[in-house]
Amino acid sequence: MNKEELLTTASLALLELEEGEVDRLGEEIARMLDYFEMMTKLDVDGLEPTTHAFQKTNRLRADVLNNNNNNNINNAFNRNLIMENGNDVEDDFFVIPNVL
Amino acid sequence: MSDTMVNDKYETFVGLEIHIHLLTESKMFCGCKANYGDEPNTNVCPVCLGYPGVLPTVNQKAMKMGYTVARALNCRLSRKTYFERKNYFYPDMPKNYQISQFQEPVGVEGFMEFEYNDEIKKIRIHDVHLEEDAGKMIHAGDMSLQDFNRAGYPLLEIVTEPDLKSGEETEAFLRAFRRMVRYLGVCDGNMDEGSMKCDANISINTPGAGLGTKVELKNMNSPRFVRRGLQYEAQRQAKALDEGVKLIQETRLWNENRDITESMRTKEMANDYRYFPEPDMPPFCPDDSFMADVEKEQVELPLARKHKIMRKYGISSEQAEFIHDEKVNADYFEQVMALGADAQAVYTWLSSDVQKELNLLNMTLTESPLSPERFSELLKLMDDGKISGKIAKQVLIDVFEEDRDPSAIVEEKGLSQISDPQAIGAVIEKVMAANEEVVKAIREGEQKQKGFLVGQIMKETGGRAAPALVQKILSEKLR
Amino acid sequence: MKDIDGWKSVLTDQDRAKKYREYVTGWEKKIGSLLEWKLPEAGKIKSSEGILASVPFAVKDNIAVEGFKLTCGSKILEYVKAPYTATGVANLQKTGALVMGKANLDEFGMGSSTDNSALQKTNNPYDTSRVAGGSSGGSAAAVAAGIVPFALGTDTGGSVRQPAGFCGVYGLKPTYGVVSRYGLTAYASSLEVCGVCARTVDTTRTVFHAIRGMDGMDQTTIDYDPVSPEVKTVGVLKVEEGSLSEEVAASYRVSKDRLNKLGYAVKEIEIPAMEYVVPAYYTIATAEASANLARFNGMRYGLSPIFAESPDDLMRYSRNMGFGEEVKTRILLGTFVLRSGFQDQYYVRAQKIRTLIRQELDEIFTDCDVIMLPVFPTAPFHHGQSELTSFQQKQADVYTCLANMTGSPGLAVPSTLEKGLPVGVQFMAPPCGEERLFTVAEALEKEFPAPRPAGYSEEWRA
């Protein structure tokens, strides 16, 4: 992967690499991608991709309210901690800078 | 075909991406209330806030609604549908990926028919897929306030092929589409409140040359704005082509204050959503009982309903347009008809006096005290000559105000029509005696004055005298 | 008396609680296994009837426990408190067990040494100049030192089994989906599961049965039927000359001999696609990680700058400052293998290879009840990358990430001490075959129980 590809990838991942990181991370990633190349040796024709460990299907959740408002133990949570974790909270809104 | 050609030179291609908020109790992937008008960040939990460690769980009802709409749009329904992650960063999107569908949406390759300029048009549907909404930002100066009540709200996206030919036609399609989702009961279709949204793509080209350079149009919050945005955009593109300016593929926003579209001019990084199957939820394979449920949710769709009403009750297209606009009204109409009534009378009353009362009281027909039974009874009282049309209007108002049967109101208030010739004769004689001058004048040929006497007679009977009888007996007595 | 019963009074008895605190403090100075710990005040614990009543345990700090921090070993979450509790932990709490602390780990579970924790260094209880393994290094070290009878970890590619092997304790990676992932900070969702580090097989089994179960909050959970197994045939993976360090190779031979002595039918097996396991594993794991870690952006919670000009600025700053280099490397790699134009070549191909590997394992399990294979090619190594580079550490995941690729259960069992350092051996069973693993491990445990590091003591709770 060349530097340009690396930077495009970084911007997709919302990471901004410093010069040193471009070299260090770039080298490690290149090494891994070389290693991954080995996979092309294998004939994978006719194999379905495994996307889930076990292909169990049809798990649906009934459309009923279930959060701490009705004290359902399955989804109990502490709202105060959620607000405390907020970096900047005003009137129960999370505040972030505006795009000017 | 001139109305579909821009400046008689270019053909227009419009495709839509319509998002509807599904009317579920809970959110798409968690048990929070699906309601975003509440106090900020009250309908939130670790799942819809994207906390570390949480997992999504599919809402059964949203899944069923997705299939219901796809079925109504004549789509090929997926026998194995699954969710995927659509990866991009956005401040309102808690996980920075949207759980959506891509390879295997609930339905693909459908179509929808609608009426435009008295013709039936057929628009192809590319796909119908389920996804989740993002939170909302309120901009306040140099900061933005984030509210995640809407984050995770169930959305159904319907993508059409670029089969629409003009802004007007698109507006008509959208109205028909809105009516359909309301018929199915899956969405309230309020574009101004954001429960239905529509982005459009539009391109123009010389006839036969296929699609042109595609422009995405956003920020159109009503069917009317969609029409105007597309009209403006078609003109803008035609002008550019006329002047030999190369169009660029871009996203433009409709500015409703200036009536123009404006380029978003953002540093649009080439998006690469890197879709991949959502590992946190297994695929869904609808079984026979699920499909049977979806079938049960199907209703007679608006277009079919309209034509049935026209045929069965012999009313005009325009009248049927009014009656079938809302499913509950069409149902109501047919219920009244089933109780025995004249279609024209039912239409006339519904579209004028009844509508006026509903507007006044700000209620819908189904919540009003005027049940189909009461309405039919009112019409029957008139038909049987028990009350006059004028009295009937008063009784209608009373039904709304008092929530009682028309017959009870008529009886208690003594509103029934006087149709006994002897009783009417007596009143006429009394009025004639009191107006000898007028009687004399009429007998001398001044027929115009007869109206005055009728007025006096009606006044004397409180409007209850049968008008036809009054005319007949008065004429006899004046001879 | 079961080992676990000796722990039921360490928090309820005032005298023992005091000694317990001293014991933990003493060890923590040496090994740094816990990022946060707090013993409940003596007398404040209600006596309960559960099978693990008042038994303290530690939880890897990428698993949510309400009120405790949830750092994931990362600066980006250093001050975040979990507003909810993971299902596995909640299930344990129902049996009376008490969370006493949060265990150190490689940042977001990415590593094999716990050196990738941005917050603290964790040492091996047998030699503090060496690593405890990873990523659940804190959990394994705490159990090995006798600070807790068991600890919860997470296993994405070997993160429970490898540190268990390094620390001389049992490390179970359950079948995918048998234990809920709700509350486990996702690294690679389709591969990982909550696991158990414990001193004895019995405790491992008890905790496993306490944490498992179908969960409405995790739609990938599956049913588990605990049938009593009969284990007759053990497949032993043939390992190429030179793939294992001298110590580990010697230990592996000993383990094979023990199986023979215990009367098992031993059968040598080979997995043809073995060489593709690691590249396919890292392709899938980093791809999923790139999406899973996108939520950390300094909004709603987590590290955020004092000033930012725009939301994009805020997110970028938070991620640049908050993530360590190993995490950034994996996010970038995962982002790349999913990009359009590259996805078929890497990600989709890896998922197909995963299918092939499963097929090969299925085949092996038609005539083996369990299989034995190494945990890791080396004994615990020194801190830093002088002995094993970051790339070599990844390649060394080959024996453990196999079970994550197939979803099967795997159990690391303490085998021998080589030059004073623990070396473990691993057993794998077909999906939902955990009981087979316990059966074999228990047979071995009778003859060769888990070792104890110098300084280990049970006196204080006697």
Side-chain angles (χ1 to χ4, degrees), chain C residues 77-381:
Chain C
L77 296 178
E78 190 172 358
Y79 302 105
V80 172
K81 277 191 173 175
Y84 72 105
T85 298
T87 302
V89 174
N91 288 347
L92 267 174
Q93 288 170 331
K94 281 179 211 153
T95 69
L98 297 164
V99 179
M100 64 79 71
K102 300 299 293 286
N104 199 15
L105 68 158
D106 285 303
E107 186 174 0
F108 290 108
M110 297 177 177
S112 310
S113 63
T114 310
D115 280 354
N116 290 340
S117 168
L119 306 177
Q120 187 171 298
K121 195 171 166 183
T122 293
N123 302 320
N124 193 303
Y126 287 83
D127 177 350
T128 55
S129 70
R130 293 174 189 268
V131 302
S135 66
S136 310
S139 300
V143 173
I147 287 177
V148 282
F150 68 90
L152 295 188
T154 64
D155 194 313
T156 310
S159 281
V160 164
R161 291 160 288 156
Q162 188 259 18
F166 273 23
C167 294
V169 298
Y170 293 88
L172 174 71
K173 172 230 173 275
T175 304
Y176 182 88
V178 164
V179 179
S180 170
R181 287 181 297 119
Y182 188 70
L184 187 178
T185 305
Y187 158 20
S189 316
S190 76
L191 300 165
E192 65 204 1
V193 64
C194 279
V196 186
C197 284
R199 271 206 70 78
T200 67
V201 177
D202 182 60
T203 303
T204 308
R205 183 198 287 118
T206 303
V207 174
F208 165 68
H209 285 298
I211 61 177
R212 72 173 175 83
M214 294 278 280
D215 183 9
M217 300 300 282
D218 178 356
Q219 294 185 333
T220 63
T221 48
I222 57 173
D223 259 335
Y224 177 86
D225 184 14
V227 280
S228 279
E230 202 182 348
V231 180
K232 286 178 181 165
T233 309
V234 180
V236 173
L237 182 73
K238 185 184 171 193
V239 177
E240 295 290 316
E241 196 77 27
S243 335
L244 304 177
S245 74
E246 222 176 278
E247 298 81 14
V248 176
S251 181
Y252 194 54
R253 278 193 297 274
V254 171
S255 297
K256 219 185 304 184
D257 291 344
R258 286 177 181 171
L259 289 179
N260 282 318
K261 275 184 214 150
L262 287 169
Y264 290 110
V266 174
K267 180 173 182 269
E268 192 172 67
I269 57 158
E270 282 178 275
I271 301 167
M274 200 69 179
E275 63 172 316
Y276 302 101
V277 170
V278 178
Y281 164 77
Y282 270 98
T283 302
I284 296 165
T286 56
E288 291 180 5
S290 72
N292 283 328
L293 272 63
R295 69 189 60 197
F296 306 116
N297 65 353
M299 290 179 182
R300 312 178 307 285
Y301 58 81
L303 180 75
S304 123
I306 292 164
F307 174 78
E309 282 193 351
S310 68
D312 258 25
D313 227 39
L314 187 152
M315 295 196 280
R316 212 174 275 119
Y317 174 95
S318 169
R319 292 168 67 78
N320 287 342
M321 303 304 290
F323 291 138
E325 288 200 356
E326 182 60 35
V327 172
K328 285 184 190 173
T329 303
R330 295 194 193 193
I331 290 175
L332 290 170
L333 195 54
T335 304
F336 185 76
V337 298
L338 284 174
R339 277 178 58 182
S340 73
F342 302 106
Q343 192 171 119
D344 283 350
Q345 180 186 346
Y346 294 108
Y347 180 73
V348 177
R349 181 168 276 269
Q351 297 281 40
K352 289 179 176 172
I353 291 175
R354 189 174 179 184
T355 306
L356 177 69
I357 293 165
R358 295 166 66 110
Q359 289 171 355
E360 290 183 0
L361 259 288
D362 285 350
E363 180 64 33
I364 286 169
F365 282 121
T366 56
D367 51 9
C368 293
D369 299 313
V370 296
I371 59 172
M372 186 182 90
L373 67 171
V375 179
F376 199 76
T378 75
F381 49 88

Side-chain angles (χ1 to χ4, degrees), chain B residues 296-324:
Chain B
K296 258 184 249 159
E297 294 295 317
Q298 300 302 315
V299 296
E300 190 177 20
L301 294 176
L303 189 59
R305 188 78 185 263
K306 179 182 165 185
H307 286 274
K308 186 189 83 179
I309 288 173
M310 285 167 64
R311 260 196 334 270
K312 189 164 170 189
Y313 306 105
I315 59 174
S316 71
S317 171
E318 196 186 322
Q319 290 170 334
E321 192 67 29
F322 170 81
I323 287 165
H324 95 299

Side-chain angles (χ1 to χ4, degrees), chain A residues 11-14 51-52 55-67 69 75 77 79 81-83 85 90-100, chain B residues 24-33 40-41 44-46 51 57-61 89 139 141-144 146 269 274 277-279 281-285:
Chain A
S11 94
L12 285 169
L14 213 70
T51 54
H52 296 77
Q55 293 283 357
K56 302 280 170 176
T57 56
N58 296 9
R59 288 287 300 275
L60 298 174
R61 171 178 53 83
D63 180 34
V64 289
L65 298 189
N66 171 20
N67 69 15
N69 294 328
N75 189 20
F77 65 91
R79 187 184 152 76
L81 287 178
I82 284 178
M83 288 305 165
N85 282 333
E90 273 178 43
D91 297 331
D92 284 351
F93 283 107
F94 295 98
V95 182
I96 60 164
N98 196 355
V99 200
L100 292 177
Chain B
T24 54
E25 286 294 314
S26 66
K27 289 187 178 180
M28 188 70 219
F29 298 118
C30 66
C32 284
K33 196 167 147 199
N41 294 310
V44 296
C45 74
Y51 257 75
T57 51
V58 194
N59 184 329
Q60 191 266 345
K61 192 168 176 192
F89 282 84
H139 303 293
D142 60 354
M143 57 184 194
S144 294
Q146 289 182 303
M269 199 177 57
R274 291 161 282 133
E278 168 58 88
M281 291 178 289
F284 176 72
C285 303

